[in-house]
Amino acid sequence: MMSTEPSAAGRWNGRTVILPVVLLLIVTLCANAGNILPHWLVVWPREAMLPLSTAIGNGLDRLARWHVFAGITVKDMTRALAGLIAWPANLLEEILVDGVSRGTGAAKAEVAPPLSWLGVSLATVWFGWRRGGVALAGLALLTALYLLGLGLWQSAMQTLALLGVAVPFGLALGFGAGVILWRQKRVQAPALLILDQLQTIPIFAYLVPLVGFFGLGSATAILATVIFTVPIMARTTVSGLTRAETAFGEVSDSMGCRFGQRLFLILVPAARQELLTGVNQVIMLSFSCTVLASLVGTAGLGYNILIALRQLNIGRGLEAGLGVTILAILLDRFCATRSVTRACGAGWLDLGIASLLLLVPTLIGFHETALTHFPDSWRLSSGSVVDNAVEWVNVNLFWLTDDIKAWLLIHVLMPLRDEMQTLSWSGVVLFLAFLGYCARGWRGMLLVAALATFPAAVGVWKPTMMTVYLCLISVAIATLIGLPVGIVAGKYPRWGRLILTTCDLLQTLPAFVYLIPVIMFFGSGDFSAFVAVVVFAMCPVIRFTALGIREVPLSLQEAGRQLGMTEGQMLRKVELPMAHSHILLGVNFAVNMALAMLVVTALIGTRDLGRETVNALSHVDPGQGLTAGLAVASLSLIANQIIGGFAGRQPQ
Amino acid sequence: MSSRIWGGRLLKAALVACLPITTSIAMAAVESNDPIAIAQHDWAGSEFSALLLSRLLQTAGYNTKIITIDASSVNTALENGDITFQPEAWTTSHPEIEKLLTEKKVTEVGESGLVGMDRYWYPLYVKEKCPGLPSYKALNACAALFATPETGSKGRLLVYPEDWGGNDEKRVENLGLNFEVVHAGSEAALLAEVKAAVQRHQPILTWLYEPHWAPVAFKGEYVKLPPYTKECIESGSYACEKPKGPILKLAYNGANAKWPGAYKIFKAMTLNNHEYGQALEEISLDGKTSDSVVTEWMDHNKDRWSAWLK
């Protein structure tokens, strides 16, 4: 790494930091073995344990029964709110899936059929053609054919009915929160920190209290999705508006705009690019929640995936999973292209033609049921191709996968796990606090120390260390693989496109889909979790490395060539140092991804914090779940503080 | 949501088939037109029992909806009335149900007639390599067959997730088995591993239960442990078979007051392991839809279910 200019605070001075780090590391490792420390510094004493888990449980219970006025409890109110939230989703579901019906029980009669599949497809393709030309129309057509052909149409519409409420809701709430935070500069930093924390709490952790307060069904699913997506929208809104304000703030002031005019006519259009990134993220994250939404009693593509996996039908699981992916990509492209080519005037005509395309098949559908429900006989299926492929790999390549697994387990994973289990909490806190100081100074140190003490103090230290061990080893391997791939992707654009598209696919495909083949190859346990996390965490490393390499200024590249550097020298002396902060950011993202994924991998047999949240779910113990969730969140926050702090220091 | 499960035409066909009874029974006033929510889980048997209950209640004139829900959140929902009837509560694998019942958070409607049975299982081809099976006494000699890098020299016994209960660690210890108990993260994970091992003809020792599709789909046998006695469990040694457990029918506490008629029907409905297993097999292995399996069952058992509706 190139020499770094001493920063203003002068805390980070290149190599001088390494010695104390190593020293501290040794102290930490030896702390327990040498019995130097008193016992309470090794294992957090039972008497001093904070009863957070029971406190949360009791608190929520009391809150639910708390009377606001005249015998109406908080729970009654949240239930009413749930009805309100579910109303538009149910309406959408009637329009898209069930059709409008009157009466109940045996007297139930259909008044109007749902929108015809033909109509919806035609209208989507038409809009695609008008907005994004042949490419988007083709994508829309492909999506429709895929969903119809594989018999996923109805599930896809159910998913859309749910997300049709959750995505706008998340966008509006996130944008609103973003604008408020942008205005209130004083609370901005801590509020953003809390929002970040919110996003890293695994959904599993707050599913139990949500079900208690809001009941089963669309309302809870929508709320869980929204809680998950609001932070990212708020964050991008704040950063976009702040940037736009520095560029255009004075212009708008000099024109004497009112607040509303200033915001919506000048700053929002100027921040469009950032806001669109936010929209993209909200869509992608919302789609990634579909499987979890199916855990609380909503139907849709997520439920198809869940069912297929329970019955070990990998082919069908993959079909439904790709359905989610392709739908997410289509929606994302619609949002992305629409604002770029905003054709004026023709809008009404387009809308008219689209509604005509939509309504005519639907009206015919009153008489011809083939237009409301896609005929079963027209369906295809990949059948058992995927299952056979998995079986083939399982049977024929087993010797290879098994050897790799055995070697890594015996020589890397198990020793590391045992080592981590013996660490004393005080040593780890001290070590992390020191890194926090190097990265962010005194404030960072205090924050990191507090966050690191949290899991010990609330009594989840053991599972936390399991999570840390799996996270560390998987991110290390993911970085080892991702770095060279990212360099290739950055240097050769043609390869880059292929690699990055694969990354997109891997990330939008619901994780549940590839967990099953992973278990079949590697059995349940830490190793499977490790493989799944590596696959998942590799993508941000690749993406950010490629970005960093590509953004090396042309002048520096030229200068390097002028000096007669070889390719290897260029990489080592110019490109990697320049991309260093991007790469660190990628690693930071990878840590967050790994932590998120480790909760899901609890389902394939790890004994870490993820397992705690899953156990809490089945024991209906909101306290336990939220405590473990907060511990995961604090881990990710520690990583953000330390790695983000180092990434923030640009090499000169 | 219901139309996802009802193919429109099949519904009509079913209704026409039941027409004579429908008219006579639907005459009886239905206490409430609010939909009765029935829990349906993601195992194939639950598709069958939930759909059957829904059909029966609809025949009696009630408005029903089937809610697809994970077993992990069903108890909260039942307590709050988001789910009215839960046709399949497996006491064997969900120990927390007992707690709910003693705290009176849900109503026990009765036994479903199904009996859950948990056993240790191995694929048939293991027998050639470990000739003493199915007696558990043969296992120690073959422990190396089942060993993995993680378990070292011990054999590996794959069991259901921790929250399913089972006390397998104690059982293995007190039976003196040289095995390490490994918990799968979820049912799907456990079954995936069994399927993979069967494909590769690898030895595996695991916990399977009945009624379930897995013991039907994979050829294998149960390990014979010392027979179940009450003392063996109560003394905390667990060195015996797991007890067979009834599968209960549960209801929301307010269900009987709101839909007494429906409650009576639900109480009367019983199934047996044989027919349930058959339905399971048809749905998971033969690829039939749960809709057609239920219709078939109703055609064959008209006498039984019309007695429930009386």
Side-chain angles (χ1 to χ4, degrees):
Chain A
M1 217 149 278
M2 281 177 94
S3 65
T4 317
E5 192 195 45
S7 66
R11 294 177 198 104
W12 163 254
N13 269 324
R15 251 151 261 136
T16 49
V17 86
I18 292 170
L19 193 69
V21 168
V22 172
L23 256 175
L24 259 167
L25 190 63
I26 293 167
V27 170
T28 319
L29 292 180
C30 299
N32 201 20
N35 281 332
I36 312 165
L37 291 172
H39 186 69
W40 63 271
L41 277 178
V42 179
V43 180
W44 187 276
R46 191 170 282 276
E47 308 83 58
M49 212 78 92
L50 302 177
L52 182 67
S53 165
T54 37
I56 293 178
N58 293 340
L60 285 175
D61 204 39
R62 210 167 298 162
L63 180 67
R65 285 165 220 277
W66 190 56
H67 289 258
V68 182
F69 57 87
I72 296 179
T73 59
V74 171
K75 200 169 181 176
D76 295 334
M77 288 171 69
T78 51
R79 286 306 169 112
L81 185 65
L84 208 65
I85 296 170
W87 183 77
N90 291 342
L91 187 71
L92 266 178
E93 197 172 319
E94 275 191 357
I95 295 173
L96 288 171
V97 191
D98 292 341
V100 183
S101 48
R102 283 264 167 73
T104 51
K108 199 167 173 176
E110 201 172 61
V111 178
L115 288 181
S116 159
W117 52 270
L118 185 66
V120 175
S121 319
L122 285 178
T124 317
V125 173
W126 166 256
F127 259 119
W129 184 60
R130 294 297 297 166
R131 296 295 183 197
V134 180
L136 194 54
L139 185 64
L141 185 66
L142 194 73
T143 311
L145 285 179
Y146 181 88
L147 294 175
L148 285 168
L150 292 177
L152 295 169
W153 184 261
Q154 213 174 20
S155 308
M157 290 303 118
Q158 274 160 340
T159 299
L160 276 186
L162 198 68
L163 293 187
V165 180
V167 168
F169 194 18
L171 285 177
L173 217 60
F175 181 75
V179 170
I180 292 172
L181 288 181
W182 162 69
R183 293 270 287 169
Q184 307 293 330
K185 299 270 190 265
R186 212 172 304 156
V187 293
Q188 192 173 322
L192 282 178
L193 204 67
I194 292 172
L195 277 179
D196 280 350
Q197 179 102 355
L198 199 62
Q199 200 184 11
T200 49
I201 298 177
I203 297 186
F204 273 139
Y206 49 77
L207 225 43
V208 175
L210 275 184
V211 170
F213 280 105
F214 296 95
L216 278 181
S218 356
T220 302
I222 290 170
L223 280 173
T225 312
V226 167
I227 293 178
F228 193 55
T229 54
V230 157
I232 191 100
M233 189 63 204
R235 182 161 267 282
T236 45
T237 307
V238 169
S239 79
L241 288 181
T242 312
R243 203 165 293 183
E245 193 183 24
T246 40
F248 297 99
E250 287 190 14
V251 179
S252 60
D253 283 343
S254 65
M255 290 196 297
C257 293
R258 273 177 291 131
F259 173 69
Q261 290 176 326
R262 194 172 113 131
L263 182 64
F264 287 105
L265 295 180
I266 297 181
L267 296 182
V268 168
R272 190 205 285 152
Q273 213 48 50
E274 255 119 338
L275 292 178
L276 274 181
T277 320
V279 173
N280 160 286
Q281 289 297 308
V282 169
I283 291 176
M284 293 295 172
L285 288 179
S286 300
F287 270 96
S288 75
C289 293
T290 45
V291 178
L292 290 170
S294 68
L295 290 181
V296 291
T298 52
L301 286 171
Y303 191 72
N304 287 22
I305 296 175
L306 214 59
I307 281 264
L309 296 192
R310 287 285 164 130
Q311 298 177 357
L312 299 188
N313 197 329
I314 306 167
R316 264 201 290 154
L318 190 68
E319 283 172 14
L322 283 174
V324 174
T325 308
I326 192 170
L327 210 55
I329 291 175
L330 179 70
L331 241 118
D332 174 54
R333 289 296 122 88
F334 257 102
C335 291
T337 44
R338 194 170 143 184
S339 51
V340 175
T341 54
R342 188 174 285 162
C344 293
W348 288 110
L349 190 64
D350 281 352
L351 214 60
I353 293 176
S355 36
L356 211 63
L357 285 173
L358 193 64
L359 287 178
V360 169
T362 307
L363 289 176
I364 300 173
F366 273 94
H367 300 289
E368 182 55 58
T369 41
L371 283 177
T372 22
H373 299 288
F374 192 73
D376 283 344
S377 52
W378 295 2
R379 281 180 194 164
L380 309 162
S381 173
S382 65
S384 46
V385 175
V386 181
D387 292 81
N388 289 343
V390 171
E391 177 169 353
W392 188 87
V393 174
N394 180 31
V395 172
N396 293 300
L397 297 182
F398 177 66
W399 55 274
L400 183 68
T401 53
D402 201 45
D403 282 358
I404 297 176
K405 175 188 165 187
W407 190 87
L408 272 172
L409 261 176
I410 292 169
H411 297 283
V412 185
L413 269 85
M414 280 159 56
L416 185 68
R417 182 187 66 195
D418 297 341
E419 201 57 55
M420 297 287 285
Q421 288 292 330
T422 60
L423 291 183
S424 64
W425 69 267
S426 52
V428 173
V429 170
L430 212 63
F431 175 67
L432 287 174
F434 182 77
L435 281 183
Y437 173 74
C438 295
R440 301 242 178 192
W442 288 108
R443 271 192 181 186
M445 187 184 96
L446 287 178
L447 184 62
V448 167
L451 287 169
T453 318
F454 174 78
V458 296
V460 289
W461 183 252
K462 267 223 157 100
T464 305
M465 285 321 266
M466 280 300 276
T467 302
V468 172
Y469 131 74
L470 277 171
C471 180
L472 271 184
I473 182 79
S474 343
V475 170
I477 301 289
T479 311
L480 275 183
I481 302 173
L483 212 56
V485 178
I487 291 171
V488 170
K491 293 195 108 173
Y492 310 99
R494 201 171 297 171
W495 282 101
R497 206 165 305 148
L498 181 72
I499 292 170
L500 293 183
T501 314
T502 317
C503 266
D504 271 338
L505 203 71
L506 275 179
Q507 285 196 300
T508 39
L509 199 63
F512 287 80
V513 174
Y514 53 80
L515 286 184
I516 294 290
V518 166
I519 300 174
M520 291 188 68
F521 298 151
F522 301 108
S524 39
D526 287 0
F527 191 79
S528 293
F530 159 76
V531 172
V533 175
V534 167
V535 171
F536 210 59
M538 210 162 57
C539 292
V541 180
I542 295 177
R543 193 182 302 274
F544 277 83
T545 309
L547 188 71
I549 298 274
R550 228 177 277 156
E551 284 191 353
V552 172
L554 215 60
S555 57
L556 277 178
Q557 292 182 16
E558 289 292 318
R561 294 230 170 76
Q562 296 280 321
L563 289 169
M565 285 185 176
T566 62
E567 279 288 311
Q569 283 172 326
M570 277 285 285
L571 194 65
R572 256 192 339 248
K573 298 253 161 85
V574 181
E575 285 163 344
L576 279 185
M578 286 307 295
H580 131 263
S581 79
H582 272 112
I583 294 172
L584 276 181
L585 273 181
V587 173
N588 192 355
F589 264 86
V591 171
N592 290 346
M593 288 283 199
L595 286 172
M597 187 67 186
L598 275 171
V599 175
V600 180
T601 56
L603 295 177
I604 59 180
T606 52
R607 309 186 111 189
D608 57 358
L609 288 172
R611 187 71 235 168
E612 296 273 308
T613 60
V614 176
N615 279 352
L617 207 57
S618 64
H619 293 154
V620 198
D621 182 347
Q624 186 193 1
L626 275 175
T627 308
L630 284 172
V632 173
S634 60
L635 286 182
S636 119
L637 212 55
I638 291 173
N640 292 353
Q641 285 293 314
I642 294 176
I643 307 177
F646 284 131
R649 293 157 199 278
Q650 292 287 341
Q652 301 297 308
Chain B
M1 199 166 290
S2 55
S3 83
R4 194 181 69 81
I5 294 147
W6 301 103
R9 242 169 290 170
L10 267 169
L11 166 65
K12 273 174 221 156
L15 283 181
V16 169
C18 320
L19 208 59
I21 302 131
T22 319
T23 41
S24 64
I25 293 170
M27 288 301 141
V30 164
E31 303 89 8
S32 165
N33 268 329
D34 288 350
I36 296 174
I38 300 168
Q40 182 193 39
H41 296 296
D42 46 8
W43 53 85
S46 169
E47 260 181 62
F48 173 73
S49 55
L51 191 55
L52 179 60
L53 177 59
S54 164
R55 282 271 178 94
L56 292 174
L57 294 179
Q58 290 198 339
T59 313
Y62 290 94
N63 194 15
T64 63
K65 59 178 178 187
I66 290 181
I67 291 190
T68 51
I69 182 173
D70 195 68
S72 54
S73 36
V74 70
N75 292 330
T76 322
L78 203 57
E79 204 185 313
N80 288 316
D82 297 316
I83 295 280
T84 324
F85 291 146
Q86 147 76 315
E88 279 186 38
W90 290 64
T91 47
T92 44
S93 47
H94 289 277
E96 71 275 7
I97 291 171
E98 209 164 306
K99 196 178 137 210
L100 283 176
L101 287 175
T102 47
E103 288 173 10
K104 298 228 153 71
K105 287 183 170 167
V106 298
T107 311
E108 183 185 333
V109 182
E111 295 185 3
S112 65
L114 302 172
V115 178
M117 183 178 88
D118 303 274
R119 292 286 182 272
Y120 297 144
W121 178 97
Y122 56 88
L124 220 45
Y125 53 76
V126 177
K127 222 174 167 180
E128 296 163 17
K129 295 174 193 163
C130 188
L133 286 172
S135 168
Y136 76 96
K137 287 171 189 149
L139 282 173
N140 269 351
C142 321
L145 268 181
F146 301 100
T148 61
E150 287 136 307
T151 58
S153 63
K154 287 183 167 183
R156 179 169 182 268
L157 171 62
L158 182 67
V159 299
Y160 274 90
E162 286 151 43
D163 50 298
W164 285 48
N167 300 301
D168 299 286
E169 281 87 353
K170 287 222 177 98
R171 181 169 294 108
V172 164
E173 192 192 322
N174 290 331
L175 285 171
L177 294 178
N178 187 23
F179 274 71
E180 192 173 317
V181 174
V182 175
H183 291 272
S186 57
E187 173 164 38
L190 183 134
L191 294 174
E193 217 179 314
V194 174
K195 186 176 180 180
V198 169
Q199 282 176 359
R200 291 193 296 252
H201 267 253
Q202 264 211 322
I204 187 166
L205 186 66
T206 184
W207 158 10
L208 291 185
Y209 65 88
E210 275 185 25
H212 192 277
W213 63 264
V216 181
F218 307 127
K219 286 198 182 89
E221 284 182 342
Y222 296 114
V223 177
K224 279 212 175 76
L225 301 184
Y228 161 76
T229 58
K230 221 171 175 186
E231 305 84 68
C232 147
I233 300 296
E234 278 168 1
S235 68
S237 95
Y238 299 103
C240 60
E241 299 274 16
K242 295 181 187 183
K244 291 185 179 179
I247 296 167
L248 299 180
K249 292 177 288 186
L250 302 182
Y252 161 56
N253 278 343
N256 194 10
K258 193 167 178 186
W259 299 276
Y263 186 85
K264 242 177 83 191
I265 296 172
F266 183 42
K267 197 171 170 106
M269 173 179 154
T270 50
L271 295 167
N272 59 47
N273 271 24
H274 177 72
E275 59 195 1
Y276 184 88
Q278 206 170 6
L280 256 172
E281 207 177 319
E282 284 173 346
I283 295 171
S284 346
L285 300 179
D286 307 345
K288 287 193 189 172
T289 62
S290 44
D291 226 18
S292 62
V293 173
V294 169
T295 310
E296 225 168 82
W297 187 93
M298 286 180 78
D299 286 348
H300 289 153
N301 297 282
K302 212 166 229 163
D303 299 342
R304 259 171 82 199
W305 61 261
S306 37
W308 300 342
L309 294 193
K310 272 173 194 159

